[in-house]
Amino acid sequence: MPEGGGRGTLAGTVGRGAGGRLVMAEGADVSREADLLARVPDGLLVGGRWRAASDGATFPVHDPSDGSVVKQVASATVEDGRAALDAAVDAFSAWSRTPARERAEVLRRSFDLVVEHADDLALLMTVEMGKPLAESRAEVTYGAEFLRWFAEEAAHVQGRYGANPQGTGRMVVTQHPVGPCYLITPWNFPLAMATRKIAPALAAGCTVVVKPASLTPLTTLLVAQLLLDAGVPAGVVNVVTTTRTGPVSEAVIGDPRLRKLSFTGSTPVGRQLLAQAAGGVLRTSMELGGNAPFVVFDDADLGTAVDGAIAAKFRNIGQACTAANRFLVHRSLADEFARRVTERVAAFRTGRGTQEGVTIGPLIDDRAVAKVEELVDDAVSRGARLLTGGSRVERPGSFYAATVLADVPPDAALLREEIFGPVLAIVPFDDEDEAVRLANDTEYGLVSYVFTESLARGQRMVERLETGMTGLNVGVVSDAAAPFGGWKLSGLGREGGAEGIHEYLQTKYTLTADPFA
């Protein structure tokens, strides 16, 4: 793409082929972004059909790099949310009885279509969320993998059979889809968080209503169209976009026909949703906040640790629950570690994510910028040393400069709260016990990172750190084949891996009479 905005041309216009699949027609010379945005559905997906909100309401989706409105999409009402659940309920019986191999083939075709449309999906994510194109492409690869992984898991759901201990009968244990599901996805990974929930639900035989974040709904809408193109039956996947999230979600969650709630987002909102889910005793999966420690010991390979720090902190512009929040560095290495990361960070290029060479895109909106600014100013006022960055970027859009802080004091707010921005905060420590104490001194427990060349120390840290995931000498842990989830206030349940499909299954035990009696 050309530098300076990423505006290119496509030798064609877009129409709908049989079944609504996205196709290209020859002839027109149009802006690639405008062409892509025109192809993205702007309605609600209910029962296999795209439709307007029942009251005709819409809301704008903004490009955070300049605040411009890129598209208007439907804003669902409570009535629309109930209609989407009606469709999921109606489709459940047939889909749950569909042979696992057939469900697997649908998911595999969905994977192929997402890969085929990878460039479009990456560009769309960059436009509505802001991350650089290289990171958007990486998310497409990561998010598509959930479709392929759970296509393979669909046919591998197992039960067991055997004599009971008394020898008086036979025990049969089987797994069954839990039922219609409500999936609430966040704005920061609009493709991967959708596929990470949709894929295991469909693999298990469940139907879903998906509510994407109103800040970044477009990627999920395009993915939903690709799922239809892949052969997902009407009503199996329904999508409701809305700015009336509270009333819509409350109505869906309060419906006794719903059997599962999955949410990725903040811990305060997760608590509210858990309270609502309690009335129906819903199965719940909650992937909530994080406050990840990044621990560098004195025997660490410093080059590896710095590379890991850049990945763990600045991926997605720091807007990830897995982002390292507190960099705990052995005092003997703290100054050199700070020097090296500062050198790297100071060389970052900030700009619109479509521009070539951009490392740091905009934050999602101005409120996010204000929150990061508040946390950095608080830390500096308490004695932290600012090594680079530390301010808004004076240009249109929601930009904050990539920042490094050293000697962050223990009373700084950013050591307790998720930063959710491009700020690397360094705290020195003196020994292993202190590192463990500092790392575990948080109500969160999603992920931790440890850098050491000692195998024994690495094993001890994995055992001692109170997190659901640990990266040992690596700065990124996410993998479709691995169980993603946290301890403490970071959530409940697991997404991905062999464990992921079981969040959408329920167990039935049957005792049969002894056939030889």
Side-chain angles (χ1 to χ4, degrees), residues 181-185 193-194 196-199 201-202 207-212 238 240 252 258 260-264 495 504:
C181 307
Y182 187 42
L183 313 178
I184 305 176
T185 60
M193 297 303 96
R196 197 164 78 180
K197 296 180 189 298
I198 294 170
L202 269 57
T207 56
V208 303
V209 176
V210 184
K211 195 210 76 63
N238 306 276
V240 289
V252 174
L258 186 74
K260 164 79 181 186
L261 168 65
S262 179
F263 169 73
T264 297
E495 294 183 319
Y504 297 89

Side-chain angles (χ1 to χ4, degrees), residues 4-204:
R7 303 279 177 178
T9 59
L10 286 176
T13 57
V14 178
R16 296 281 176 185
R21 184 168 177 174
L22 303 173
V23 295
M24 295 294 297
E26 296 298 324
D29 181 20
V30 296
S31 159
R32 183 183 173 196
E33 288 180 30
D35 169 73
L36 172 59
L37 289 164
R39 282 187 280 149
V40 177
D42 58 7
L44 313 174
L45 179 59
V46 179
R49 293 177 52 250
W50 293 103
R51 42 165 279 192
S54 57
D55 64 355
T58 64
F59 65 90
V61 180
H62 297 271
D63 179 343
S65 72
D66 60 12
S68 63
V69 175
V70 297
K71 196 175 184 73
Q72 294 277 346
V73 298
S75 184
T77 64
V78 168
E79 178 184 348
D80 295 323
R82 288 179 176 141
L85 182 58
D86 289 344
V89 170
D90 291 344
F92 174 68
S93 179
W95 181 249
S96 64
R97 294 196 308 270
T98 299
R101 182 59 67 198
E102 292 184 25
R103 298 198 301 267
E105 291 299 330
V106 170
L107 286 170
R108 176 62 201 216
R109 290 196 297 272
S110 300
F111 165 80
D112 290 338
L113 281 178
V114 168
V115 171
E116 179 183 336
H117 290 273
D119 287 344
D120 283 347
L121 288 162
L123 177 58
L124 188 59
M125 267 192 287
T126 292
V127 169
E128 69 171 338
M129 186 265 157
K131 69 183 74 182
L133 265 176
E135 293 195 29
S136 292
R137 293 188 186 104
E139 182 176 340
V140 175
T141 300
Y142 172 53
E145 195 61 32
F146 287 104
L147 296 166
R148 177 160 62 175
W149 174 264
F150 285 108
E152 295 166 349
E153 289 292 298
H156 297 156
V157 175
Q158 298 180 350
R160 58 189 174 94
Y161 169 86
N164 66 355
Q166 296 79 15
T168 58
R170 297 295 182 269
M171 299 184 298
V172 182
V173 179
T174 52
Q175 302 292 328
H176 304 264
V178 70
C181 307
Y182 187 42
L183 313 178
I184 305 176
T185 60
W187 53 262
N188 55 340
F189 290 94
L191 188 147
M193 297 303 96
T195 57
R196 197 164 78 180
K197 296 180 189 298
I198 294 170
L202 269 57

